[in-house]
Amino acid sequence: KSPLAPAKVTLPEVKLDIHKVVRKIYGLESSFGKNDGCRSQGQYNGYGFGQNTSTWNCFESFEIVTSKVENWMQDKLDKKYTLAQALCYYNLGRKVDDCEYYENYLSL
């Protein structure tokens, strides 16, 4: 007799709360707005969204930039990126399976 194959267990798909993910990005990028370089201009970012050595985007309102980051993150997740891949891509600009940014995210 051959042993029975283990029963296949299907775990329910867990829906990520994009708002919570983006809130943690805000914490990682600007200490929840304390280090938002756009505030001195009366504008907002705080997410490091669209900011790098050659570009410095600031937005008219916190809601506008939050919406942009939420849409960006949802797009990556819809494209089947794992949360780790999406966060690493957000921070590094390339798709990798794990990075320090993701580890820091998990510690929040």
Side-chain angles (χ1 to χ4, degrees):
K1 277 192 160 190
S2 61
L4 292 173
K8 212 171 186 132
V9 178
T10 307
L11 296 174
E13 191 175 326
V14 177
K15 185 82 173 134
L16 271 177
D17 184 336
I18 289 293
H19 303 294
K20 287 182 181 175
V21 171
V22 168
R23 182 80 184 146
K24 286 185 176 188
I25 291 172
Y26 187 58
L28 289 170
E29 293 291 334
S30 69
S31 297
F32 300 100
K34 290 186 197 109
N35 301 312
D36 183 346
C38 294
R39 294 301 299 132
S40 62
Q41 303 165 32
Q43 293 192 312
Y44 300 83
N45 193 319
Y47 293 100
F49 184 74
Q51 294 181 330
N52 55 48
T53 52
S54 60
T55 308
W56 193 260
N57 285 312
C58 295
F59 300 88
E60 197 174 300
S61 74
F62 180 72
E63 292 75 19
I64 289 170
V65 67
T66 299
S67 176
K68 287 183 178 292
V69 176
E70 287 176 352
N71 290 338
W72 186 96
M73 183 59 65
Q74 189 62 60
D75 177 65
K76 294 300 173 264
L77 297 172
D78 288 348
K79 290 177 178 170
K80 303 299 182 206
Y81 282 48
T82 64
L83 179 59
Q85 289 169 338
L87 287 165
C88 293
Y89 194 97
Y90 187 87
N91 183 248
L92 300 171
R94 63 184 194 279
K95 186 178 177 183
V96 294
D97 291 331
D98 194 21
C99 62
E100 186 178 355
Y101 192 79
Y102 177 63
E103 299 301 325
N104 291 340
Y105 169 91
L106 292 175
S107 73
L108 286 181

